[in-house]
Amino acid sequence: PYGVDTAALAPPRSPHEGPLRIVWSGRLEHRQKRAGDLGAICARLDALGVDVRLDVAGGGPEAERLASALAPQVAAGRARLLG
């Protein structure tokens, strides 16, 4: 914008190393916050070959269902349910 070359001002990007880190912090409720989608998101990223780590901090009505959906990722060390 306004003739300023913003690309020249941006720091050089380095390749990402390590897993993609996702952190959820909040109430585990599906209708309003869509917390129930976290299991499907992690499963899809895993299917695409993305090395992902999920940390979930929170509680709520979706906690039990989410724990069940994330069980494979928790067992593989790719997700943690912190409460």
Side-chain angles (χ1 to χ4, degrees):
Y2 304 106
V4 176
D5 182 8
T6 58
L9 302 174
R13 298 188 88 185
S14 60
H16 178 75
E17 293 183 19
L20 170 65
R21 302 224 22 119
I22 301 173
V23 177
W24 171 276
S25 177
R27 184 163 170 74
L28 298 177
E29 195 269 324
H30 185 72
R31 184 171 164 236
Q32 187 177 39
K33 305 212 179 252
R34 307 276 317 223
D37 292 343
L38 292 170
I41 290 168
C42 284
R44 179 69 175 139
L45 289 170
D46 188 46
L48 291 171
V50 176
D51 186 15
V52 63
R53 298 294 182 277
L54 170 67
D55 289 330
V56 178
E62 208 52 36
E64 210 172 291
R65 189 177 329 190
L66 184 59
S68 178
L70 288 174
Q73 286 86 2
V74 170
R78 293 188 305 267
R80 297 185 306 167
L81 302 172
L82 305 172

